[in-house]
Amino acid sequence: PTINVTAEYSIQQLGKKIELLNGPQFATIVNEIRPGSYNNIDLVPNTDWQDLIFRTAPIQNYQASVSGSTSKIQYYVGLGYFNQSGIIPKSSYERVSLKLNNTYNLTKNIKLGNNLTFTPRRQQNTHDNAVFVVYRAQPVIPVHQPDGSYSEVPGVGNVLADIEYRNSYENSYRAVGNFYGEVTFLKDFVFKTSYGIDLDNIRNKSFTPVFYVSPQQQNSFSRLSKDFNNIFSWLWENTISYRKEIGMHRVDLVGGYTAQESSSELLHLEGLNIIRDQEDFWYFDQNNISPGSTRDEVDKENNYSMISYLFRANYSFDNRYLFTATFRRDGSSKFNKDNRFSDFPSFAVGWNIINEGFMGSVTGLSNLKLRASWGIIGNEKVNYLQIYSLVDNGINAVFGQNGVMLPGNTYGKSGNPDLRWENTYQTDIGLELGFFEDKVTAELDYYRKQTKDILIGLQVPGYLGNGSDARITYNAADVLNRGFELNLAWSGKIGDFDYRLGANGTTLHNETLKVSGSGGDDDYLPGIASKTEPGYPIGSFYGYQTDGIFQDATELADYPHRSDAEVGFLRYVDTNTDGTINGDDRVHLGSPIPTYLYGFNLNGSFKGFNLSIDLQGQGGNKIFNYKETVRPDLYNFEQHVFDRWTGAGTSDTEPKPTYGGYNWINSDRFIYDGAFIRLRSVTLGYTVPENLSRVFRMKTAQVYVRGTNLMTLTKFPGYSPEVRNDNPIDNGLDRGVYPIASVYSVGLNISF
């Protein structure tokens, strides 16, 4: 047997703080908004909420495995343990994993096998909006009052109190595995059947004791909630393959049928006035359970079934001419009968020019291959209830002179029975090159992806009903992506130093070709701060352009402005030159989608030492700092606000302070360049010489140190420039993204 052991210990910390106003600066700004709010600015508290909530936290990761084989059996047994504390208190993740992989050669033509993974895990979840609150909390509020109680923080609450009083845990057990059998018959045919399962048993419990911080932040009754969620999925795959090589001809055919199903059930319970606060007493009885809040339902994200028919053919002649054709027919229960099935063909050809006879006289060239492909892939990733109109249950109403409360139902959310598969048509043309026995390699590709009938959840007019959740899913747009991809590598040796340099880059042109079926205006798709319409990228930011600050009353009178504009406020551009500023002056302000992405990597080794460096970056995109515009109350400000206009000529970019209204509507003031370059990882390792490792009966031994997310160069002032949202028309909005941590690790790899 071969025994492998790996161990890694890491420390993680906040990679970057957001530059916010400190206490005296905030008090200065507030005094300009509301004169007399602070009489002595020098004596106001100076609370850095970011320093208080973010912490240095450890990560532990250990793995051990045993593997081996005989003529009849191959086996692998692996055991792992992972424990990560979050950089915010009361956030952690712990996992144990056991892997069992076996292959049994029953006869020359019959093989059985299994791949099984068992994973119990435990997670503690911190306050949901901790990042949101930290960004907005006023720095002039101390954490505690003189008597030790938590201070009231206007608008958002005291985040440290929320973290202390709220308790949320998830305990789960997941089993994933498959069992398969292979039979070889008629020499060149192989039949394989495989049955896979995925069982996830999830238990959530949350408890909040009685507490009081302020009228807006309190809990009058202790509350306990529990969720019991069982998700079970299975996948049955059956294929017959045929492989034959005759002279210079090689054929590989595969045909098959697959079926899969996922089902789940969610039980939610809530109770009040739990007997004690300790975790041992977090249970329900007939005295504390709340019948009105108990529900038993399906988990709508995990209930569906699919069947698929598939075929693939590979043919090559003399390893020069290559051809591949595939065909899939997939059916999903997430769509109605008329739209349930869709067909997905693809074709690919390749020409190994380097193997042609006329290339024999070419020196220095070790690889030359031309390839092209075309195909369609499908997407049905919506929950199965999107096609149905739903009824809301448990709606109580009072009727009659005696005021009797009766249970009832009402129309809930509208469905869209016309939903169908989202299809992506992709064409790729590529060239592969190798020089000097592939010491230098290059790959160049041109790609074109057109996605039709994109599945998007869209807001619909309120008069259509749908309660508080007015989003209905539509096949609402056609979008084009095209560009070039380049991958370069150079490897070599200088004495005892071996190295490999790599670089990759991608260009991306994204364009909306068509919008349709939105349930409202079919000319565009509205987002929170975007407008998706033909000719522009999907989710393109939309709002007012700014052109400086109104410096005096004369300038305000001479320039078109809204009725609520004042001297010292932003000057919005009259883009349609009609002499007024209104919604018609909004324009596209950039795309959240990068126009280029790139990466660099270096791997080098010298006498047992090895070094690996990875960098990654992108550019051409914009980020909308949405968290800065949401200001229903007097929140803290980012540092740039302190460079505000205080009189004619003092600033032409930062308006005089306000805590909401005119200066905070969607405009290019909140749009930042999304370009960045990140030092993703640096690893330095040392491999113990073989003669020394043998002394301890080891086959190999390596120690290493690693840094991850060490540095990010960007103009964006948020925690991270990598901002993503689930809905493509609302992409690139920073609503308080969870920070990316910098991680410093030391590790050991040993095999016996």
Side-chain angles (χ1 to χ4, degrees):
T2 297
I3 301 174
N4 289 285
V5 177
T6 66
E8 183 178 276
Y9 184 84
S10 306
I11 292 294
Q12 54 183 342
Q13 62 184 31
L14 182 66
K16 174 189 176 183
K17 288 177 61 176
I18 297 178
E19 296 297 325
L20 300 171
L21 298 184
N22 61 30
Q25 290 173 332
F26 179 81
T28 300
I29 295 298
V30 173
N31 273 345
E32 295 179 12
I33 300 174
R34 299 173 177 172
S37 296
Y38 297 94
N39 295 323
N40 194 334
I41 291 177
D42 294 333
L43 296 180
V44 299
N46 185 17
T47 304
D48 191 326
W49 292 96
Q50 293 181 95
D51 284 347
L52 291 171
I53 190 174
F54 294 116
R55 63 181 182 178
T56 299
I59 306 174
Q60 301 177 67
N61 191 7
Y62 308 103
Q63 306 282 338
S65 66
V66 180
S67 60
S69 64
T70 68
S71 60
K72 294 293 185 181
I73 185 173
Q74 296 87 45
Y75 65 90
Y76 173 90
V77 180
L79 181 65
Y81 174 75
F82 179 84
N83 190 322
Q84 179 178 12
S85 298
I87 60 175
I88 296 178
K90 283 192 175 180
S91 62
S92 62
Y93 179 78
E94 186 178 21
R95 179 188 68 228
V96 176
S97 58
L98 174 64
K99 294 184 179 181
L100 303 172
N101 299 338
N102 298 282
T103 302
Y104 309 94
N105 300 311
L106 299 184
T107 68
K108 181 180 178 181
N109 297 323
I110 301 177
K111 181 189 296 185
L112 299 178
N114 65 265
N115 300 285
L116 302 173
T117 301
F118 305 93
T119 310
R121 57 192 190 271
R122 176 180 171 88
Q123 182 172 338
Q124 185 177 19
N125 303 306
T126 190
H127 178 44
D128 292 339
N129 292 324
V131 176
F132 178 94
V133 173
V134 164
Y135 178 82
R136 291 161 172 78
Q138 296 183 10
V140 294
I141 307 295
V143 178
H144 297 97
Q145 293 296 306
D147 62 0
S149 62
Y150 283 106
S151 299
E152 176 182 356
V153 180
V156 293
N158 191 315
V159 63
L160 294 180
D162 275 329
I163 291 174
E164 177 179 340
Y165 294 129
R166 298 175 190 271
N167 303 276
S168 177
Y169 296 93
E170 177 182 300
N171 292 279
S172 57
Y173 175 91
R174 189 173 186 182
V176 179
N178 75 309
F179 305 88
Y180 64 89
E182 282 187 12
V183 178
T184 302
F185 62 99
L186 299 179
K187 187 180 178 181
D188 301 313
F189 290 87
V190 177
F191 169 74
K192 182 176 181 179
T193 184
S194 172
Y195 183 79
I197 60 170
D198 186 347
L199 173 63
D200 205 358
N201 187 283
I202 304 170
R203 300 288 184 266
N204 291 303
K205 57 182 177 182
S206 299
F207 176 77
T208 305
V210 175
F211 72 89
Y212 181 90
V213 177
S214 69
Q216 289 74 39
Q217 188 180 12
Q218 63 171 306
N219 193 43
S220 302
F221 304 96
S222 60
R223 295 175 180 271
L224 174 67
S225 67
K226 292 187 178 183
D227 291 296
F228 303 84
N229 195 1
N230 291 303
I231 305 171
F232 178 72
S233 303
W234 58 261
L235 171 63
W236 185 32
E237 298 177 300
N238 301 274
T239 59
I240 295 179
S241 60
Y242 171 77
R243 296 178 178 87
K244 191 70 174 179
E245 188 168 352
I246 304 175
M248 293 184 291
H249 303 274
R250 186 169 66 246
V251 177
D252 182 352
L253 304 175
V254 176
Y257 167 82
T258 70
Q260 67 185 94
E261 183 179 78
S262 177
S263 59
S264 67
E265 184 176 12
L266 173 65
L267 175 63
H268 176 80
L269 301 171
E270 288 188 15
L272 300 176
N273 292 324
I274 308 305
I275 186 172
R276 294 184 187 175
D277 292 349
Q278 289 75 18
E279 187 172 355
D280 290 345
F281 294 88
W282 293 358
Y283 60 85
F284 299 107
D285 59 32
Q286 67 272 20
N287 297 316
N288 61 31
I289 197 165
S290 303
S293 60
T294 298
R295 63 181 188 274
D296 187 0
E297 60 186 27
V298 297
D299 180 355
K300 57 180 177 290
E301 301 293 340
N302 293 289
N303 283 269
Y304 64 91
S305 60
M306 290 185 65
I307 59 173
S308 303
Y309 308 92
L310 56 92
F311 173 78
R312 184 190 69 209
N314 291 325
Y315 170 76
S316 68
F317 174 73
D318 195 24
N319 201 26
R320 288 184 291 163
Y321 310 113
L322 314 171
F323 174 78
T324 299
T326 66
F327 177 81
R328 291 184 62 97
R329 180 170 175 81
D330 295 325
S332 172
S333 64
K334 296 179 180 179
F335 305 115
N336 280 327
K337 182 173 63 175
D338 294 339
N339 297 326
R340 188 152 293 165
F341 283 89
S342 192
D343 299 327
F344 306 105
S346 69
F347 304 94
V349 293
W351 180 19
N352 273 323
I353 305 174
I354 194 67
N355 292 333
E356 295 288 354
F358 60 79
M359 295 295 296
S361 59
V362 179
T363 59
L365 193 64
S366 52
N367 183 33
L368 179 60
K369 181 180 181 180
L370 184 65
R371 48 182 167 75
S373 62
W374 175 90
I376 308 173
I377 57 175
N379 173 33
E380 43 78 63
K381 300 301 182 186
V382 296
N383 77 66
Y384 81 105
L385 289 177
Q386 296 301 315
I387 62 175
Y388 302 109
S389 295
L390 307 179
V391 173
D392 286 345
N393 300 310
I395 306 299
N396 299 323
V398 177
F399 289 94
Q401 294 181 349
N402 296 326
V404 178
M405 181 175 289
L406 299 174
N409 305 316
T410 187
Y411 187 86
K413 178 181 177 181
S414 296
N416 182 2
D418 297 324
L419 287 182
R420 56 191 179 275
W421 284 83
E422 173 185 305
N423 295 310
T424 298
Y425 298 74
Q426 180 164 340
T427 300
D428 184 280
I429 301 174
L431 179 67
E432 299 179 12
L433 294 166
F435 302 91
F436 313 115
E437 298 181 353
D438 285 351
K439 291 182 179 179
V440 179
T441 60
E443 291 185 44
L444 176 64
D445 286 83
Y446 168 78
Y447 67 92
R448 187 182 191 277
K449 294 173 60 177
Q450 182 174 344
T451 303
K452 299 182 178 181
D453 298 328
I454 291 180
L455 293 163
I456 303 178
L458 301 176
Q459 292 284 348
V460 296
Y463 57 76
L464 294 180
N466 299 292
S468 60
D469 184 4
R471 285 190 179 269
I472 299 177
T473 300
Y474 294 91
N475 294 97
D478 293 0
V479 175
L480 171 67
N481 290 283
R482 67 169 184 263
F484 292 90
E485 295 180 340
L486 178 64
N487 198 332
L488 301 173
W490 177 23
S491 57
K493 186 172 185 178
I494 304 174
D496 293 329
F497 178 63
D498 293 288
Y499 64 89
R500 184 185 184 278
L501 297 172
N504 60 78
T506 300
T507 66
L508 174 58
H509 170 80
N510 177 273
E511 181 182 348
T512 304
L513 302 179
K514 184 179 72 172
V515 296
S516 60
S518 63
D521 192 330
D522 285 341
D523 293 333
Y524 67 91
L525 305 179
I528 294 175
S530 68
K531 183 179 183 181
T532 297
E533 61 180 333
Y536 293 91
I538 188 170
S540 176
F541 296 127
Y542 192 71
Y544 293 95
Q545 283 184 333
T546 59
D547 182 28
I549 305 292
F550 288 114
Q551 299 294 331
D552 52 46
T554 301
E555 185 176 321
L556 177 64
D558 292 341
Y559 198 91
H561 60 273
R562 296 189 351 172
S563 60
D564 53 346
E566 299 178 12
V567 174
F569 279 14
L570 289 171
R571 196 168 60 194
Y572 296 125
V573 178
D574 180 19
T575 57
N576 62 3
T577 66
D578 64 354
T580 60
I581 301 295
N582 54 34
D584 295 335
D585 292 302
R586 292 174 297 173
V587 294
H588 288 272
L589 300 173
S591 168
I593 301 173
T595 58
Y596 62 90
L597 305 96
Y598 59 89
F600 301 97
N601 58 80
L602 164 67
N603 292 281
S605 61
F606 179 77
K607 293 185 177 181
F609 290 94
N610 54 83
L611 175 68
S612 175
I613 302 175
D614 289 296
L615 296 99
Q616 166 231 343
Q618 67 181 40
N621 64 303
K622 303 294 184 180
I623 301 174
F624 194 95
N625 195 6
Y626 183 68
K627 63 182 183 296
E628 193 175 14
T629 68
V630 182
R631 309 194 66 85
D633 209 333
L634 187 54
Y635 299 148
N636 198 6
F637 301 90
E638 292 193 14
Q639 186 64 233
H640 63 81
V641 173
F642 203 67
D643 299 324
R644 74 278 182 208
W645 182 94
T646 56
T650 55
S651 175
D652 201 38
T653 58
E654 194 65 40
K656 72 178 183 180
T658 58
Y659 72 87
Y662 177 92
N663 291 315
W664 300 94
I665 61 178
N666 292 347
S667 71
D668 57 11
R669 179 192 181 194
F670 306 104
I671 293 181
Y672 293 85
D673 188 350
F676 73 88
I677 181 169
R678 170 169 289 155
L679 182 56
R680 177 67 70 182
S681 68
V682 177
T683 304
L684 177 63
Y686 177 72
T687 302
V688 178
E690 186 176 349
N691 57 353
L692 183 59
S693 61
R694 285 178 179 175
V695 175
F696 299 96
R697 299 183 178 181
M698 296 182 297
K699 293 181 180 179
T700 61
Q702 184 190 44
V703 294
Y704 64 88
V705 292
R706 175 184 296 130
T708 306
N709 299 323
L710 295 178
M711 180 179 64
T712 302
L713 301 178
T714 179
K715 296 180 180 179
F716 179 61
Y719 286 121
S720 172
E722 291 182 294
V723 178
R724 185 191 66 83
N725 299 92
D726 292 333
N727 194 316
I729 65 172
D730 287 328
N731 198 14
L733 270 68
D734 183 0
R735 307 183 190 187
V737 61
Y738 195 91
I740 292 180
S742 297
V743 183
Y744 305 90
S745 309
V746 58
L748 173 68
N749 297 327
I750 302 175
S751 65
F752 300 91

